[in-house]
């Protein structure tokens, strides 16, 4: 059977290791070593240099392509959807249980009922995924029930309708057990089930895994955390390419290489004086410390972690490069194949403006690459797209997509932001609260979130409010818009752009809304709507809400946008820091 998946889906929530539902069937996406040899590359020098990989689009199921993305039916445990049957097949066999149309049919009721996947799966923090051992879940009275299981899913019509209403019944020994405790953290440990140490598409390569199995629903949000990288294709990426050979030819680097080799051969950690010398050489040649470490390892394409073989991606450095270009004179009137923009007049509010630059970007190109995935929690082990396998006869590559669209770039006046931060510092309770959020981020390893401070939260909240308002003004759908937040020392700005991979991303409506008068009206309307939320006073007075409690005055009714539009999973939002309340100064409080 052949099914269709969108390329954008494969570089995100539907990437390698993800469970995808197609109709009433369920599959898992196999690793990239089984996708076939890529027939083309996506050119993005800076990303390729940092990731040390080729960037290639997913194969398309066309006559010209060299392969398709293989899917594995998962979970393998299926049950009949006929209420009179409900029999369970523990492992689906295409040859044994197949049907003419390729869809699973129940062999116990004469193929009258369709087999549908079980609701729960088992996973561990090492990224492994397997079927729940339903046969062990039932305490059988007969030994033959283990070798010849005859299981049935029973549903009670009485009671609360929770998991207690679902039970697994053994027809051989007449034993049954309900699923009320199936999702408990130690449910698999209690029945002696251990992680088989494999991925569903690699049954014959079991490895030892000491992580405990946890049972989750197939569609649970914590079953799959995709790890992606994103960068804009800007003019600066094609200029001033670093001459790594020149760096390696310097005497300073030669001395560093000798010292590094002596320590690395003993398997020790780098002492502070070598770390300081690496930082010195990186500063002298205007490159990152990761690139110098890569040179010391004998490569010149970009940084990787030699111990874990994981790709090292520093999003903060990429955003800093983009910010530097967007603030440069080159960006004021840039016309290139992948980037066309012009500077616009500033929107003014009663004669003043909190911004120092507005760019109307008529055309931009974004490249997104899939780096891997994690399961159960954000700090779990990251699994690469090749899932420990190797590419046959080709250089390692990452699945990627390129997207063309348009956007509006807003840069805050640094004096305006600095003055607001000085006034905000007079409220120590608020500063302590924000500091506590940063402590939680660090302690609980929320790797996908940037460092938290008041500046980022306020700018991020404005980006969300503008996206919600621009949906009504520009003609784009809410999921078609996306944000990039530039926040840090000397950085305060945002980019709202179209992020769809189809023709909708270049209709021109977004750039039109960036004209001075229209932009000023859009900002005022967005701020005015945010002064009151339909969920207030609950929304504005809640101490912490959303993922990890990172949001304060922000909910679905006032600030949240589609998950695909936000770079931080709809977190780090607070209307009070943007608008001000109860004497607390807001970044744009003077405009309301």
């Amino acid at each position: 059977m052949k099914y269709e998946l969108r390329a954008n889906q494969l570089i995100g929530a539907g990437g390698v290791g993800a469970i995808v539902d197609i109709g009433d069937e369920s599959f898992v996406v196999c690793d990239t070593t089984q996708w076939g040899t890529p027939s083309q590359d996506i050119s993005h020098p800076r990303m390729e240099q940092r990731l040390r990989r080729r960037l290639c689009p997913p194969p398309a199921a066309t006559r010209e392509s060299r392969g398709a993305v293989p899917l594995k039916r998962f979970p393998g445990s299926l049950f009949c959807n006929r209420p009179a049957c409900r029999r369970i097949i523990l492992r689906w066999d295409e040859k044994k249980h197949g049907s003419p149309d390729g869809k699973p049919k129940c062999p116990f009721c004469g193929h009258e009922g369709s087999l549908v996947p079980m609701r729960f799966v088992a996973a561990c923090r090492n990224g492994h995924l397997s079927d729940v051992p339903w046969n062990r879940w039932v305490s059988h009275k007969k030994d033959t029930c283990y070798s010849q299981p005859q299981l049935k899913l029973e549903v009670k019509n009485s009671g609360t309708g929770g998991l207690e209403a679902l039970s697994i019944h053994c027809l051989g020994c007449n034993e049954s057990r309900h699923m009320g405790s199936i999702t408990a953290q130690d449910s698999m440990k209690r029945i002696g089930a251990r992680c088989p140490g494999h991925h569903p598409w690699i049954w014959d390569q079991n490895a030892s895994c000491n992580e405990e199995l946890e049972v989750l629903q197939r569609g649970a949000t914590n079953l799959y955390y995709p790890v992606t990288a994103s960068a804009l294709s800007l003019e600066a990426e094609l200029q001033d390419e670093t001459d790594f050979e020149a760096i390696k030819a310097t005497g300073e680097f030669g001395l560093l290489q000798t010292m590094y080799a002596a320590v690395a051969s003993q398997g020790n950690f780098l002492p502070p004086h070598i770390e300081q010398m690496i930082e010195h050489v990186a500063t002298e040649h205007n490159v990152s410390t990761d690139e110098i470490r890569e040179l010391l390892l004998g490569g010149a394409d970009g940084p990787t972690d030699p111990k874990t073989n994981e790709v090292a991606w520093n999003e903060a450095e990429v955003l800093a490069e983009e910010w530097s270009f967007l603030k440069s004179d080159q960006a004021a009137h840039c016309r290139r194949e992948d980037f066309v923009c012009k500077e616009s007049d500033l929107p003014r509010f009663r004669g003043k403006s909190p911004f120092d630059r507005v760019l109307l970007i008529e055309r931009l190109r974004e490249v997104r690459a899939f780096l891997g995935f994690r399961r159960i929690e954000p700090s779990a082990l990251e699994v690469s797209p090749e899932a420990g396998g190797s590419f046959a006869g080709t250089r390692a590559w990452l699945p990627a997509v390129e997207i063309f669209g348009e956007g509006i770039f807003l840069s805050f006046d640094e004096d305006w932001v600095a003055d607001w931060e000085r006034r905000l510092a007079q409220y120590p309770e608020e500063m302590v609260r924000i500091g506590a959020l940063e402590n939680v981020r660090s302690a609980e390893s929320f790797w996908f979130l940037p460092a938290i401070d008041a500046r980022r939260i306020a700018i991020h909240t404005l980006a969300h409010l503008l996206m919600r308002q621009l949906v009504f003004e520009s003609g784009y759908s809410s999921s078609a818009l996306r944000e990039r937040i530039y926040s840090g020392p000397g950085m305060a700005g945002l980019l709202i752009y179209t992020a769809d991979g189809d023709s909708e991303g270049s209709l021109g409506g977004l750039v039109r809304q960036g004209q001075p008068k229209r932009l000023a009206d859009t900002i005022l309307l967005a701020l005015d709507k945010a002064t009151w939320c339909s969920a207030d006073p609950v929304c504005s007075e809640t101490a912490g809400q959303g993922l990890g409690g990172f949001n304060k005055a922000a909910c679905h009714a006032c600030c949240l946008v589609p998950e695909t539009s936000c770079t931080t999973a709809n977190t780090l939002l607070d209307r009070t820091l943007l608008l001000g309340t109860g004497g607390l100064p807001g970044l744009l409080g003077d405009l309301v």
Side-chain angles (χ1 to χ4, degrees), residues 367-561:
V367 175
R368 300 177 197 164
F370 181 79
L371 306 185
F373 65 90
R374 305 172 194 260
R375 298 200 192 278
I376 299 181
E377 59 186 23
S379 59
L381 179 69
E382 180 180 333
V383 181
S384 67
E386 58 268 25
S390 58
F391 295 98
T394 183
R395 180 186 168 195
W397 59 280
L398 294 172
V401 292
E402 56 182 349
I403 296 169
F404 295 90
E406 58 174 330
I408 303 173
F409 171 73
L410 296 175
S411 168
F412 277 89
D413 184 291
E414 183 63 30
D415 292 337
W416 180 289
V417 178
D419 177 66
W420 167 70
E421 289 176 330
R422 284 192 293 269
R423 289 183 287 134
L424 186 66
Q426 299 175 11
Y427 294 82
E429 292 183 359
E430 185 67 15
M431 302 308 295
V432 169
R433 183 187 72 84
I434 296 173
L437 295 180
E438 171 60 17
N439 293 336
V440 171
R441 184 194 72 88
S442 301
E444 299 188 13
S445 300
F446 284 92
W447 54 269
F448 56 89
L449 296 181
I452 302 174
D453 56 26
R455 174 184 295 216
R456 178 174 295 276
I457 293 176
I459 295 174
H460 188 210
T461 305
L462 175 63
H464 276 228
L465 298 181
L466 286 178
M467 282 192 287
R468 291 169 65 97
Q469 184 60 34
L470 285 168
V471 168
F472 301 102
E473 308 289 346
S474 65
Y476 287 107
S477 63
S478 57
S479 61
L481 300 181
R482 190 175 173 90
E483 67 182 7
R484 293 184 82 79
I485 305 301
Y486 302 94
S487 177
M491 291 197 303
L494 58 94
L495 170 65
I496 297 176
Y497 62 104
T498 54
D500 270 356
D502 54 24
S503 59
E504 186 181 354
S506 56
L507 297 177
L510 189 57
V511 166
R512 186 167 180 261
Q513 296 305 315
Q515 298 172 1
K517 183 62 171 67
R518 291 178 180 272
L519 183 57
D521 292 342
T522 299
I523 293 174
L524 287 177
L525 281 171
L527 296 178
D528 183 63
K529 290 181 179 180
T531 56
W532 177 256
C533 172
S534 60
D536 279 341
V538 175
C539 175
S540 59
E541 295 179 1
T542 301
Q545 54 184 321
L547 176 66
F550 289 114
N551 294 340
K552 188 183 178 185
C555 68
H556 281 283
C558 59
C559 285
L560 271 58
V561 297

Side-chain angles (χ1 to χ4, degrees), residues 276-394:
Q276 293 173 2
M277 193 168 181
I278 290 175
E279 294 178 4
H280 172 73
V281 173
T283 303
E284 284 291 316
H285 297 279
N286 195 27
V287 296
S288 68
T289 55
D290 286 332
E291 289 172 314
I292 295 299
R293 289 189 179 93
E294 178 58 30
L295 289 181
L296 292 171
L297 292 171
D301 293 328
T304 60
D305 184 340
K307 294 181 180 179
T308 63
N309 199 31
E310 292 181 2
V311 172
W313 175 257
N314 192 325
E315 185 179 7
E317 288 185 359
V318 174
L319 292 174
E321 288 179 357
E322 294 178 3
W323 172 263
S324 178
F325 173 77
L326 293 171
K327 293 285 288 183
S328 68
D329 295 336
Q330 292 175 298
H333 298 283
C334 180
R335 301 194 67 85
R336 300 185 64 87
E337 181 181 358
D338 294 340
F339 194 81
V340 178
C341 75
K342 61 181 179 180
E343 190 165 12
S344 177
D345 294 335
L346 301 177
R348 298 198 172 272
F349 311 87
R350 294 189 295 273
K352 59 183 179 180
S353 178
F355 307 104
D356 64 6
R357 168 167 272 194
V358 175
L359 292 179
L360 305 182
I361 305 175
E362 299 176 3
R363 179 179 174 84
L364 60 79
R365 174 177 177 261
E366 179 195 15
V367 175
R368 300 177 197 164
F370 181 79
L371 306 185
F373 65 90
R374 305 172 194 260
R375 298 200 192 278
I376 299 181
E377 59 186 23
S379 59
L381 179 69
E382 180 180 333
V383 181
S384 67
E386 58 268 25
S390 58
F391 295 98
T394 183

Side-chain angles (χ1 to χ4, degrees), residues 10-182:
L10 292 167
I11 316 299
V16 172
I19 297 177
V20 293
D21 291 327
I22 303 176
D24 57 357
E25 299 179 88
S26 179
F27 303 87
V28 64
V29 181
C30 301
D31 66 69
T32 52
T33 63
Q34 303 182 34
W35 288 17
T37 304
S39 58
Q40 58 182 321
D41 286 11
I42 294 177
S43 177
H44 197 301
R46 288 290 184 182
M47 286 192 75
E48 293 174 273
Q49 190 179 76
R50 277 189 162 85
L51 297 174
R52 201 186 176 191
R53 301 285 184 95
R54 293 170 58 199
L55 302 179
C56 305
T62 62
R63 294 180 180 179
E64 294 78 14
S65 68
R66 298 188 180 182
V69 176
L71 303 177
K72 172 73 176 180
R73 191 178 297 280
F74 183 84
S77 300
L78 309 175
F79 72 95
C80 180
N81 63 356
R82 283 189 68 214
C85 183
R86 300 285 189 187
R87 290 290 296 273
I88 297 175
I89 292 181
L90 294 181
R91 180 169 296 184
W92 169 258
D93 189 331
E94 300 284 353
K95 296 181 179 179
K96 183 179 180 181
H97 306 111
S99 58
D101 60 359
K103 294 186 178 180
K105 297 292 184 179
C106 180
F108 299 104
C109 59
H111 290 179
E112 293 183 15
S114 297
L115 292 175
V116 294
M118 294 293 283
R119 179 176 171 183
F120 298 97
V121 297
C124 80
R125 287 173 176 77
N126 283 339
H128 300 131
L129 190 64
S130 60
D131 281 279
V132 175
W134 298 111
N135 198 28
R136 302 187 66 170
W137 182 251
V138 182
S139 300
H140 299 287
K141 291 181 178 179
K142 300 178 181 178
D143 293 337
T144 55
C145 293
Y146 285 99
S147 58
Q148 300 176 353
Q150 303 177 56
L151 302 182
K152 180 179 180 179
L153 176 65
E154 294 185 339
V155 182
K156 294 182 180 179
N157 295 324
S158 60
T160 61
L163 292 179
E164 290 82 1
L166 302 176
S167 61
I168 304 297
H169 178 70
C170 177
L171 300 177
C173 61
N174 205 33
E175 282 293 300
S176 65
R177 183 178 182 182
H178 67 73
M179 299 186 191
S181 60
I182 191 72

